[in-house]
Amino acid sequence: MGLGGYLAARSDAEHFFNERRREEQEIVEKAEVERQEIVDIFQQLRGDGRGMRAHRHRARTQARRLARFHDALRIGIGGAESQTGRAQAPSTIGGSYIVGGLVPLAPYMLMHDSGQALRVSAAITLLALAVFGFVKGHFTGVPKLKGALQTALVGSLAAGAAYVIAKFIA
């Protein structure tokens, strides 16, 4: 579970930096649209755009600074809205553990030879981890192959550690 938490935190960080990079690129390529976005946000906050002319002038060529400013404004205005789905996280995580746990256990339930079931389970689980990492990469903006390999590697390390621990205890 610790490795799963690591992957989740790493995915969040990669997604944040990919979004930041995209925002910086938009600021450079669509400067006027981005400046108007700031005015619109301030109008939502204050009802007008007072004080924005000076900031717009200073931020005109400072994409990184403007991207950080956008992040801060989003947190202040709409950041809390993106957190509302977290209330469903325990049931989602629990359901995912059940479904995800069935993948490596299915061969043991369907086969009589435990050695063969172990090999089939390892292969199916590795494939499932790679597919999951590929799909995760699509949604987080991480290169899909990198997501697939990273998830398969971390999952393999976790499975290997569990196997060694179980052999040591038994």
Side-chain angles (χ1 to χ4, degrees):
M1 285 203 275
L3 290 173
Y6 164 78
L7 274 179
R10 177 130 182 172
S11 293
D12 283 347
E14 287 175 341
H15 179 69
F16 172 81
F17 288 115
N18 285 335
E19 285 299 306
R20 167 65 64 78
R21 221 175 293 121
R22 183 191 57 76
E23 185 70 32
E24 289 175 4
Q25 185 176 359
E26 284 180 2
I27 289 167
V28 171
E29 294 174 1
K30 302 174 185 175
E32 190 55 41
V33 172
E34 293 297 316
R35 283 193 287 277
Q36 184 59 46
E37 185 178 307
I38 292 173
V39 171
D40 293 344
I41 291 170
F42 265 92
Q43 286 175 341
Q44 287 177 351
L45 288 172
R46 296 183 58 187
D48 61 30
R50 288 180 291 171
M52 286 306 302
R53 284 183 188 85
H55 178 75
R56 285 172 54 179
H57 178 69
R58 282 193 308 271
R60 197 164 265 152
T61 58
Q62 298 175 2
R64 192 165 284 164
R65 181 175 170 194
L66 190 55
R68 283 195 300 267
F69 182 68
H70 276 204
D71 292 343
L73 290 176
R74 282 194 191 100
I75 290 168
I77 289 180
E81 293 174 15
S82 65
Q83 303 295 320
T84 56
R86 291 186 184 252
Q88 299 162 346
S91 60
T92 303
I93 291 171
S96 297
Y97 273 117
I98 291 170
V99 172
L102 288 175
V103 171
L105 292 177
Y108 292 101
M109 293 186 275
L110 300 172
M111 301 173 85
H112 296 290
D113 181 7
S114 62
Q116 185 180 4
L118 175 63
R119 290 185 291 279
V120 171
S121 175
I124 289 172
T125 302
L126 188 61
L127 178 64
L129 286 167
V131 168
F132 175 76
F134 185 87
V135 171
K136 180 188 73 165
H138 171 76
F139 287 107
T140 60
V142 174
K144 293 175 185 127
L145 182 59
K146 177 183 176 184
L149 292 174
Q150 183 182 53
T151 303
L153 176 65
V154 171
S156 297
L157 290 173
Y163 182 81
V164 169
I165 290 169
K167 279 293 198 183
F168 181 71
I169 291 173

